[in-house]
């Protein structure tokens, strides 16, 4: 493996912690140094815990420290989850054995050196005691990532859509309570196909209007009593509003040339929406988390210099990405799509999925493009 | 949220040695920093530094490289990767290269120091920052300042100059603190010769020995101050000023060390502090609360202002936030009082 320069995507440990922390009554303990703890703690909207190991505990064994931390967790939690970082994982202590006396502790081995965020997310999903309850008719939602700027918005939009359709929510991975894991529904909708889970039969994705339509039609086949029309109408209304505003934009302006940087599924979704609705030209997709197979120029870009070079080479009118991209996008319009989004305040819920997500993305893109033109 | 440690365990909560070192190395514009370990360590710190730089209005991003160790190198060793990387990045001739070790490379036993000692054509400075195996954030910070200090040769002293030692580059108020220090020094006709280390080039560090006085950000940095005093004969003040009387004391100390006339500056600053206090005359008699156990905060600079302004500390008054760290100078105290007034408005 060659070296890398200013890497941009979080490690497996962060992914595992993010996945578990979304279950609000699970006490997540980062088993490692305070340095490893502080990074996910700075990103997550939920509190997490740390064993904050010292050097001596690595030399003489971290078991008693971990036992101490686990037993001091507030009793209000339904479960405790321990995520091991690089050194405890390498040292090879048997965490399960160390905590045998405590009981009910989930252990996820997710050292940073095994890979990136998604690898840790999957590792955490595998230890969650989720199972489908045949008595329940709720629909699960997965791909809800607490460090995603669209996290809370996606949660609310998923609930709204299920409610419109008259369906009850199943387990939300990860925005739920621990107990819900034992009562998962038989079908699962995805909000981010990069973070798919293992519970329930996949029924499609809510990322994009057409995908949302297809997903609810699939559910309609399973749940005949569902009010599919309500969702169809909502999607049609969003399409109409997007169509109207994009047409007006194009009467006066050329479509933007766009560079998109982010996780694979989000980036592809944005590219599809902008191409379809605004006839935008996609100059490049820079994927943070693996190769992209698409009709657009696309490649995996996980280091800052390559992204900077690409933006400087392509001169896009519009850049979608994180605040890293924003820092080098010059006079191009910028729309946030990818964490981290630093240097601006987000308080209200912002969805990317479903009709509201599509509306928000188009709204931000057009406002960004119009503001840029006014500045020129 | 943390499991609350005993005071003697405060090292647990300091954060990583690497970030302490990075807070210094990334403040050197022409330096490249290599973090020898998995890419996650570099990504974490790049993200945190990016946020800090943005908050400070710094457009540039830190230049961090990772040896990107994966399971293979963890098993077979990562020295070869480090060597290849140093060969690549030393060729364009950066001002210097810092190499920071991580907890994982110390655990697998890579001899990072030996790789750095080879001849690379540019200064390659090894900083043993093995995550929590190397101490904590403060240890990383101090080790880095000490390592840099050791490299510097004596130069001619510049009269009426000071060097600021160990400004907290990750502190949200770092530039406003700097502005306050320069305002206070201006009262005495003293200028800052060097910020050791903030926003400078590697070669600038050579000027460190020329300062007539060193001002440390906090007493924790005393070993650095003592070392510079021993090496260059430069006296030091061990902390930036906290509180109203602390600020006056600071001015007197600077004047003493530089053989200046303090009273005119003290009169000006006292008058300024009186004006600041007058803005908060409405605080008199307001019942405030710093926690159940103590009527006062226990922080001298804070308790002084509480008494001066006639706030009434009780166990049941408005709960006022205590600043960590204590604000610097008169300006810092004024900002704190505005924050308190906001809380009082909301609470009453």
């Amino acid at each position: 493996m060659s070296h890398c320069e200013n890497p941009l995507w979080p490690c497996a440990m962060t992914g595992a912690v993010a996945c578990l922390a979304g279950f609000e009554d699970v006490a997540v303990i980062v088993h490692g140094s305070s340095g490893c703890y502080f990074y996910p703690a700075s990103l997550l909207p939920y509190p997490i815990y740390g064993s904050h190991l010292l050097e001596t505990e690595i030399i003489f064994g971290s078991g008693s420290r971990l036992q101490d931390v686990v037993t001091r967790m507030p009793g209000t939690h339904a479960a405790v989850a321990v995520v091991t970082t690089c050194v405890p994982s390498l040292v090879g202590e048997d965490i399960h054995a160390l905590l045998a006396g405590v009981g009910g502790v989930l252990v996820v081995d997710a050292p940073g050196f095994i890979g990136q965020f998604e690898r840790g997310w999957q590792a955490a999903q595998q230890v969650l005691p989720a199972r489908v309850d045949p008595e329940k008719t709720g629909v699960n939602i997965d791909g809800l990532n607490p460090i995603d700027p669209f996290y809370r918005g996606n949660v609310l939009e998923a609930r709204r859509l299920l409610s419109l359709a008259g369906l009850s929510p199943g387990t939300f991975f990860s925005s739920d309570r621990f107990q819900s894991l034992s009562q998962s529904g038989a079908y699962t909708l995805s909000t981010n196909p990069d973070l798919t889970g293992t519970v329930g039969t996949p029924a499609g994705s809510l990322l994009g209007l057409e995908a949302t339509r297809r997903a609810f039609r699939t559910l309609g086949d399973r749940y005949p009593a569902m009010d599919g029309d309500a969702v169809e109408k909502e999607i049609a209304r969003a399409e109409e509003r997007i169509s109207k505003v994009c047409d007006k934009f194009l009467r006066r302006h050329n479509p933007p040339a766009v560079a998109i940087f982010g996780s694979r599924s989000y980036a592809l979704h944005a590219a599809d929406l902008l191409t379809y609705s605004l006839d935008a030209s996609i100059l490049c997709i820079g994927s943070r988390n693996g190769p992209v197979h698409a009709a657009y120029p696309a490649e995996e870009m996980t280091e800052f210099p390559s992204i900077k070079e690409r933006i400087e080479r392509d001169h896009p009118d519009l850049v979608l990405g994180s605040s890293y991209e924003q820092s080098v996008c010059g006079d191009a319009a910028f729309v946030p799509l990818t964490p981290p989004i630093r240097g601006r305040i987000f308080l209200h819920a912002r969805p990317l999925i479903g009709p509201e997500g599509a509306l928000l993305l188009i709204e931000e893109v057009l406002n960004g493009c119009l503001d840029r033109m006014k500045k020129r | 949220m943390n499991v609350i440690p005993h005071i003697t365990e405060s090292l647990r909560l300091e954060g990583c040695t690497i970030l302490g070192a990075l807070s210094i190395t990334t403040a050197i514009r022409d330096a490249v920093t290599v973090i020898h370990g998995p890419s996650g360590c570099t990504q974490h710190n790049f993200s945190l530094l990016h946020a800090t730089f943005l908050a400070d209005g710094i457009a540039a991003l830190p230049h961090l490289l990772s040896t990107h160790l994966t399971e293979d190198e963890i098993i077979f060793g990562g020295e070869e990767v480090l060597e290849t990387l140093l060969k690549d990045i030393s060729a364009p001739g950066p001002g210097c290269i810092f190499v920071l070790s991580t907890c994982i490379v110390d655990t697998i036993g890579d001899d990072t120091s030996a790789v750095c000692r080879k001849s690379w054509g540019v200064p390659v400075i090894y900083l043993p920052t093995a995550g929590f195996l190397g101490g904590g954030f403060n240890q990383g910070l101090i080790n880095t300042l000490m390592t840099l200090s050791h490299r510097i040769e004596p130069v001619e002293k510049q009269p009426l100059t000071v060097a600021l030692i160990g400004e907290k580059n990750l502190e949200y108020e770092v530039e406003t603190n700097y502005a306050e220090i320069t305002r206070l020094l201006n009262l005495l006709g003293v200028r800052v010769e060097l910020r050791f280390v903030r926003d400078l080039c590697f070669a600038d560090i050579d000027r460190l020995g020329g300062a007539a006085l060193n001002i440390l950000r906090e007493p924790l940095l005393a070993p650095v101050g003592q070392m510079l005093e021993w090496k260059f004969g430069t006296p030091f003040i061990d902390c930036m000023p906290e509180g109203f009387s602390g600020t006056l004391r600071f001015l007197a100390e600077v004047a003493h060390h530089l053989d200046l006339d303090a009273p005119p500056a003290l009169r000006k600053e006292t008058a300024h502090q009186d004006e600041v206090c007058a803005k908060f005359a409405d605080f008199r008699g307001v019942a405030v609360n710093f926690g159940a156990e103590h009527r006062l905060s226990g922080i001298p600079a804070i308790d002084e202002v509480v008494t001066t302004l006639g706030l009434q500390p009780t166990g049941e008054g408005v709960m006022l936030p205590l600043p960590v760290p204590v604000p610097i100078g008169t300006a810092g105290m004024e900002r704190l009082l505005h924050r308190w007034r906001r809380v009082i408005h909301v609470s009453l």
Side-chain angles (χ1 to χ4, degrees):
Chain A
M1 179 65 74
S2 60
H3 69 268
C4 62
E5 189 168 350
N6 288 350
L8 302 180
W9 206 234
C11 69
M13 179 276 293
T14 310
V17 171
C19 179
L20 297 163
F23 291 89
E24 62 182 79
D25 53 353
V26 173
V28 182
I29 299 169
V30 176
H31 184 39
S33 69
S34 61
C36 292
Y37 159 85
F38 281 125
Y39 177 66
S42 76
L43 297 177
L44 286 163
Y46 303 111
I48 59 171
Y49 300 85
S51 59
H52 304 312
L53 294 181
L54 298 174
E55 185 170 1
T56 48
E57 287 152 351
I58 286 301
I59 297 167
F60 299 111
S62 66
S64 62
R65 168 65 186 169
L66 184 58
Q67 284 167 346
D68 183 39
V69 171
V70 169
T71 52
R72 288 163 66 188
M73 286 295 107
T76 48
H77 290 107
V80 172
V82 174
V83 178
T84 55
T85 59
C86 288
V87 172
S89 177
L90 184 67
V91 170
E93 286 181 303
D94 186 347
I95 307 290
H96 287 100
L98 289 171
L99 298 175
V102 183
V105 179
L106 309 174
V107 178
V108 183
D109 188 32
F113 60 76
I114 64 166
Q116 290 192 316
F117 185 90
E118 289 73 13
R119 181 91 184 262
W121 181 279
Q122 302 299 349
Q125 289 257 338
Q126 281 162 13
V127 305
L128 285 172
R131 67 176 182 85
V132 172
D133 182 344
E135 300 293 310
K136 301 285 180 183
T137 57
V139 176
N140 311 315
I141 303 292
D142 74 11
L144 297 165
N145 169 13
I147 70 166
D148 181 352
F150 301 103
Y151 174 62
R152 208 160 62 86
N154 284 350
V155 170
L156 295 178
E157 179 67 348
R159 285 191 185 279
R160 187 180 76 90
L161 292 172
L162 291 176
S163 172
L164 268 178
L167 295 170
S168 55
T171 308
F172 279 36
F173 300 88
S174 289
S175 174
D176 217 316
R177 297 183 68 78
F178 187 69
Q179 191 187 5
S180 75
L181 288 165
S182 59
Q183 301 165 348
S184 296
Y187 295 96
T188 301
L189 293 173
S190 173
T191 61
N192 181 353
D194 295 343
L195 300 173
T196 49
T198 54
V199 180
T201 304
S205 165
L206 300 180
L207 205 48
L209 292 171
E210 189 52 37
T212 303
R213 183 181 280 125
R214 281 198 307 271
F216 274 88
R217 285 178 183 169
T218 302
L219 286 177
D221 294 340
R222 283 22 171 215
Y223 300 107
M226 182 190 101
D227 185 359
D229 282 351
V231 177
E232 295 267 358
K233 279 181 190 163
E234 185 71 1
I235 293 169
R237 276 196 289 268
E239 284 173 332
E240 194 179 320
R241 292 173 72 189
I242 288 171
S243 175
K244 190 175 170 186
V245 73
C246 287
D247 184 61
K248 187 175 177 186
F249 179 89
L250 292 174
R251 283 167 62 190
R252 192 178 280 182
H253 310 289
N254 285 327
V258 190
I260 305 173
F261 302 91
S263 62
R264 192 170 34 202
S265 295
Y266 276 17
L268 274 175
H269 159 59
D272 288 344
L273 183 63
L274 295 182
T275 308
Y276 180 78
S277 305
L278 199 55
D279 198 29
S281 58
I282 306 301
L283 298 174
C284 73
I285 289 180
S287 162
R288 291 278 208 272
N289 56 347
V292 179
H293 304 290
Y296 311 105
E299 60 186 283
E300 186 173 13
M301 289 188 204
T302 57
E303 299 175 41
F304 181 68
S306 58
I307 286 168
K308 180 171 184 277
E309 191 182 307
R310 191 59 184 257
I311 291 174
E312 287 171 353
R313 192 193 81 183
D314 288 354
H315 296 294
D317 303 314
L318 169 67
V319 172
L320 276 65
S322 71
S323 44
Y324 298 128
E325 282 80 15
Q326 186 180 18
S327 70
V328 288
C329 74
D331 70 346
F334 172 77
V335 170
L337 179 74
T338 310
I341 308 294
R342 310 279 197 182
R344 68 166 72 189
I345 294 160
F346 288 132
L347 289 178
H348 70 278
R350 304 152 53 82
L352 189 65
I353 61 163
E356 285 298 311
L359 288 167
L360 177 66
L361 185 57
I362 290 293
E363 176 186 302
E364 294 224 323
V365 162
L366 293 183
N367 282 331
C369 291
L370 290 170
D371 286 347
R372 174 178 181 254
M373 285 160 189
K374 282 178 205 159
K375 281 183 200 161
R376 293 187 130 192
Chain B
M1 181 171 292
N2 303 296
V3 173
I4 303 301
H6 302 299
I7 291 170
T8 51
E9 291 186 318
S10 61
L11 181 60
R12 287 196 194 282
L13 300 181
E14 268 189 29
C16 191
T17 326
I18 291 176
L19 187 58
L22 283 173
S23 73
I24 301 298
T25 66
T26 57
I28 300 172
R29 289 193 295 268
D30 54 347
V32 176
T33 304
V34 174
I35 299 177
H36 184 33
S39 63
C41 301
T42 307
Q43 187 275 328
H44 290 185
N45 288 298
F46 181 57
S47 181
L48 293 169
L49 289 163
H50 165 55
T52 308
F53 279 29
L54 268 183
D56 286 346
I58 300 171
L61 288 164
H63 192 182
L64 307 184
L65 292 135
S66 169
T67 46
H68 195 1
L69 303 187
T70 58
E71 282 171 294
D72 280 351
E73 290 85 24
I74 301 297
I75 296 166
F76 298 109
E79 290 171 22
E80 201 178 318
V81 183
L82 176 62
E83 209 162 327
T84 306
L85 174 56
L86 288 178
K87 201 177 291 176
D88 286 351
I89 62 172
S90 58
C96 75
I97 298 169
F98 292 102
V99 177
L100 279 58
S101 54
T102 58
C103 48
I104 197 83
V105 299
D106 262 32
T107 306
I108 64 175
D110 270 10
D111 193 347
T112 309
S113 174
V115 176
C116 294
R117 279 199 304 272
K118 292 184 177 179
S119 178
W120 296 106
V122 293
V124 174
I125 302 170
Y126 167 55
L127 297 169
T129 53
F132 67 109
L133 302 179
F137 179 95
N138 288 326
Q139 199 59 52
L141 174 78
I142 292 170
N143 283 353
T144 306
L145 292 174
M146 295 286 260
T147 302
L148 286 171
S149 301
H150 276 299
R151 301 176 58 86
I152 303 164
E153 296 299 322
V155 292
E156 190 182 341
K157 289 280 182 210
Q158 302 295 315
L160 299 183
T161 63
V162 301
L164 304 183
I165 309 296
E167 285 178 271
K168 295 182 175 181
N169 288 331
L170 307 185
E171 190 174 44
Y172 188 60
E173 300 91 345
V174 61
E175 284 303 323
T176 48
N177 289 345
Y178 174 65
E180 176 66 349
I181 293 296
T182 53
R183 182 187 72 80
L184 293 169
L185 293 173
N186 279 341
L187 294 174
L188 292 163
V190 174
R191 69 178 172 84
V192 175
E193 165 71 5
L194 190 73
R195 301 174 76 181
F196 181 68
V197 173
R198 183 166 176 81
D199 191 25
L200 41 65
C201 290
F202 187 62
D204 294 334
I205 294 172
D206 292 342
R207 304 204 316 264
L208 178 60
L213 173 68
N214 288 330
I215 297 170
L216 313 188
R217 173 60 185 87
E218 57 184 352
L220 184 81
L221 298 170
V224 185
Q226 286 157 0
M227 205 270 276
L228 294 173
E229 188 169 38
W230 169 77
K231 190 165 181 180
F232 304 120
T234 315
F236 67 92
I237 294 172
D238 74 351
C239 188
M240 288 187 179
E242 297 177 350
F244 289 142
S245 60
T247 300
L248 298 177
R249 206 162 43 245
F250 171 79
L251 282 171
E253 272 190 87
V254 174
H256 167 73
H257 284 297
L258 300 181
D259 201 18
L260 297 168
D261 186 23
L266 292 173
R267 278 195 295 275
K268 270 190 191 170
E269 189 59 15
T270 303
H272 175 55
Q273 291 182 353
D274 289 344
E275 284 172 19
V276 170
C277 288
K279 290 187 202 173
F280 298 93
D282 55 315
F283 279 18
R284 187 158 297 280
V286 175
V288 296
N289 181 6
F290 295 107
E293 290 180 28
H294 307 286
R295 292 172 66 84
L296 281 167
S297 71
I299 302 169
I302 302 298
D303 292 342
E304 177 193 46
V305 77
V306 167
T307 308
T308 304
L309 294 176
L311 289 162
Q312 297 298 312
T314 70
E316 295 173 348
V318 176
M319 181 68 88
L320 293 180
L322 288 174
V324 179
V326 176
I328 296 303
T330 305
M333 200 52 76
E334 184 176 357
R335 288 195 304 274
L336 175 67
L337 294 173
H338 282 296
R339 288 171 62 200
W340 280 2
R341 182 182 271 150
R342 190 197 66 78
V343 176
I344 291 169
H345 284 165
V346 171
S347 306
L348 291 181

